[in-house]
Amino acid sequence: MKKIYLDNNATTALDPRVIEAMQEVLTPLPFNSSSVHSFGQESKKLLTKSRDTIAHAFHVKPQEIIFTSGGTEALNLLLRGFYTPGAHILTSNVEHPAVRETLQALEKQGAKVTYLPAGLWGAVQPYQIEEALTPETRLIVLMAANNITGVKTGINAIAQIAHQRNIPFIVDGVQILGKELFHILPGVSAMAFSGHKLHGPTGIGLAFVRSSFKLTPQITGGSQEYGRRAGTENLMGIVGLAKAIELLAVELPAATKRMETLRNKLTQSLMNNLGDIVIHGQGPRICNTVHIGFPGIDGETLLLQLDLAGIAASHGSACTSGGLEPSPVLLNMQIPASLARTSIRFSLSRNTTEQEIDTTIELVTQLINKQKRNP
Ligand code: PLP
């Protein structure tokens, strides 16, 4: 049975060209770029080249890139590193736990956080930010694209507001990188990214921090990463991440279009075949994601049946003591729990083929019709 992977917002398969790049470091040679001998110099060269590649792709300065162990650490570093005691922080109620939980920890230290409702639209809109700003607001943090629904936030418009008011703006860019090209506007103070969402390795990510901003390091020790993140660098991960980002410049415009065409075919065909389906998130979405509610269907059963048939999708739900709770993001969007429980997220990658989408359409239609006949 040929398996079909449609859970690319969770993680993506390594690109063979990324593996090849990483093999340069996967040798029996010692690589520590802090060492002064020739081995150290060799690894320093690879580190610098990788940083330069990424800085070039993002049109930022190399010193503005801080390598981390992934998106979660980058977001922790940014949120905790920008935090000033007692600050008022604006965010949304559909952020990834890496942001939500970190803000909750900061609340215990005195932060005042406003969680703006994303509603059925699926993202906070610029007017909500305008309305919620107070003279005490010291930080805005929002995701560029939601991992559960794919809905994009109007980052550029919010960056302008932040710029005019001189308020630092952190963007969780984990789900936008690899989906479409974007520019980091002057109003964006910092962004977080993760390697494993764009056919790069797991366990590596980065924070971009504009050089005009001061950041308090969260991991202390050696002077790596310009003194902002101590610890010997994960050189193999960094080389892989740089390759994965470098590939995007060449592949993305066409890949974005292809993913969108296939995602739309999947959505439209399921709509034609089944009639009553609900697409979660009314706002514009990234090219690869659709989260669908199938009224009257048990989403968990459908997911298991799809898995048995070789198709991997997801419902973004939280696992709790043996049971599955509906996704908190869907619930926070005011989607009823009964509908959220019927819902499945399909997230494509640039490797997804039309044949895979055709098979998925056929199988989902069959399984749902069967469930409807024998509820
Ligand atoms: N932010 C978003 C929107 C995500 O989707 C994820 C991962 O699912 C993260 C942050 C965390 O990234 P990482 O898995 O690299 O820690």
Side-chain angles (χ1 to χ4, degrees):
M1 177 172 62
K2 192 173 173 306
K3 291 196 172 188
I4 298 174
Y5 183 73
L6 295 175
D7 195 16
N8 289 281
N9 283 8
T11 197
T12 53
L14 272 174
D15 189 293
R17 293 161 294 180
V18 170
I19 298 175
E20 200 183 311
M22 291 198 301
Q23 267 158 356
E24 199 179 338
V25 190
L26 193 61
T27 67
L29 291 175
F31 280 110
N32 183 342
S33 50
S34 299
S35 306
V36 288
H37 47 60
S38 62
F39 294 99
Q41 292 314 306
E42 208 42 51
S43 35
K44 182 123 198 169
K45 238 193 272 167
L46 281 173
L47 180 63
T48 304
K49 187 170 152 225
S50 303
R51 198 188 301 279
D52 287 349
T53 300
I54 296 170
H56 178 74
F58 289 163
H59 303 288
V60 302
K61 299 175 203 149
Q63 318 83 272
E64 293 178 319
I65 305 280
I66 305 170
F67 291 113
T68 65
S69 64
T72 300
E73 189 198 320
L75 287 161
N76 266 267
L77 169 63
L78 295 174
L79 288 168
R80 294 173 194 273
F82 271 63
Y83 178 63
T84 48
H88 175 233
I89 303 173
L90 283 182
T91 190
S92 85
N93 67 347
V94 291
E95 297 302 309
H96 188 272
V99 168
R100 194 179 64 230
E101 296 284 328
T102 308
L103 289 176
Q104 282 169 5
L106 291 178
E107 280 180 291
K108 294 198 181 109
Q109 296 176 29
K112 292 166 195 70
V113 184
T114 303
Y115 298 88
L116 295 165
L120 292 176
W121 183 259
V124 159
Q125 300 186 57
Y127 78 89
Q128 292 175 276
I129 297 290
E130 294 258 30
E131 286 175 8
L133 283 169
T134 76
E136 280 72 48
T137 308
R138 296 283 174 272
L139 189 64
I140 304 170
V141 53
L142 292 169
M143 62 204 331
N146 186 278
N147 48 309
I148 302 292
T149 60
V151 175
K152 294 190 274 186
T153 309
I155 293 300
N156 290 354
I158 295 169
Q160 273 177 10
I161 300 170
H163 200 48
Q164 281 158 8
R165 312 282 180 104
N166 215 7
I167 297 172
F169 180 24
I170 297 173
V171 178
D172 174 355
V174 170
Q175 291 291 347
I176 198 89
L177 187 62
K179 311 294 173 28
E180 61 185 62
L181 290 176
F182 59 88
H183 295 288
I184 306 181
L185 290 194
V188 173
S189 322
M191 282 187 88
F193 301 105
S194 171
H196 71 110
K197 310 286 185 183
L198 53 134
H199 304 284
T202 43
I204 187 73
L206 69 92
F208 151 75
V209 185
R210 207 170 283 289
S211 49
S212 47
F213 287 91
K214 207 177 138 298
L215 185 81
T216 311
Q218 300 303 306
I219 299 180
T220 46
S223 60
Q224 293 92 346
E225 300 302 297
Y226 308 97
R228 291 169 303 181
R229 198 272 192 183
T232 303
E233 302 86 356
N234 167 7
L235 191 61
M236 189 168 68
I238 290 170
V239 167
L241 175 61
K243 187 66 188 179
I245 291 176
E246 188 185 9
L247 289 175
L248 296 180
V250 191
E251 315 237 314
L252 252 200
T256 302
K257 222 164 151 220
R258 245 177 48 76
M259 285 190 270
E260 187 160 36
T261 304
L262 291 180
R263 189 271 315 267
N264 290 351
K265 181 176 188 186
L266 173 66
T267 313
Q268 197 55 52
S269 304
L270 290 177
M271 216 175 255
N272 294 346
N273 293 355
L274 299 164
D276 59 340
I277 67 169
V278 182
I279 313 300
H280 297 314
Q282 295 164 353
R285 278 173 288 129
I286 40 174
C287 59
N288 76 323
T289 308
V290 63
H291 200 133
I292 309 178
F294 300 101
I297 295 301
D298 179 30
E300 200 183 334
T301 306
L302 180 59
L303 211 56
L304 292 174
Q305 289 170 333
L306 283 173
D307 191 32
L308 284 175
I311 299 180
S314 161
H315 45 21
S317 302
C319 252
T320 53
S321 57
L324 280 165
E325 291 294 320
S327 155
V329 165
L330 297 185
L331 298 181
N332 283 352
M333 285 167 64
Q334 301 298 311
I335 291 165
S338 54
L339 180 59
R341 278 199 189 89
T342 73
S343 303
I344 293 192
R345 178 188 71 187
F346 300 95
S347 50
L348 286 61
S349 83
R350 62 179 183 234
N351 298 334
T352 307
T353 65
E354 182 154 22
Q355 200 185 352
E356 289 176 331
I357 291 300
D358 288 342
T359 307
T360 305
I361 294 165
E362 203 183 307
L363 210 81
V364 171
T365 305
Q366 264 177 28
L367 290 170
I368 288 188
N369 283 335
K370 205 162 139 202
Q371 257 202 52
K372 279 183 178 163
R373 278 196 306 272
N374 313 299

